[in-house]
Amino acid sequence: MQKQLEEIKTILIKRIYNLFIKRYEGNKSKFAKEVGCDEKTIRLIFDHNQGMTLNLFFKIAKALEIEPSELIKDLKIKE
């Protein structure tokens, strides 16, 4: 199950990153300000060196102007 969770995390971060590039044109400082965290946190998440809390996940979704459910759509743990 841990491998599946890592795969889900990778997909989720990729989705967030792609929306971030589109909306913020790669400006991590501006994105971090909108999220309400520091740029280092954003960089660590994108580099897969830090996880994100549920609170941060919701803030990121808001900054990207997308429903959190859209970000996790079709992500499931298979039995």
Side-chain angles (χ1 to χ4, degrees), residues 7 11 14-15 19 22 26 31-32 36 39 45-47 50 55 59 63 65 67 75 78:
E7 289 171 4
I11 293 167
K14 186 175 182 178
R15 288 177 182 178
L19 291 168
K22 189 175 183 179
F31 182 51
E39 186 178 345
I45 289 169
F46 287 159
D47 291 341
Q50 179 175 319
N55 186 38
K59 288 179 178 182
E65 296 181 352
E67 289 296 320
L75 297 179
K78 300 170 188 162

Side-chain angles (χ1 to χ4, degrees), residues 6-21:
E6 289 300 319
E7 289 171 4
I8 288 170
K9 180 181 170 185
T10 299
I11 293 167
L12 178 60
I13 291 171
K14 186 175 182 178
R15 288 177 182 178
I16 290 169
Y17 183 79
N18 289 337
L19 291 168
F20 152 75
I21 290 296

Side-chain angles (χ1 to χ4, degrees), residues 35-36 52-62:
V35 171
M52 67 182 113
T53 63
L54 192 55
N55 186 38
L56 185 57
F57 172 71
F58 277 93
K59 288 179 178 182
I60 286 171
K62 183 177 181 192

Side-chain angles (χ1 to χ4, degrees), residues 28 31 47-48 64 69 76:
K28 291 179 184 150
F31 182 51
D47 291 341
H48 302 273
L64 293 171
S69 59
K76 297 177 185 176

Side-chain angles (χ1 to χ4, degrees), residues 20 23-37 39 63:
F20 152 75
R23 177 151 172 76
Y24 291 91
E25 299 174 343
N27 188 332
K28 291 179 184 150
S29 180
K30 185 176 178 183
F31 182 51
K33 186 175 180 181
E34 285 294 315
V35 171
C37 67
E39 186 178 345

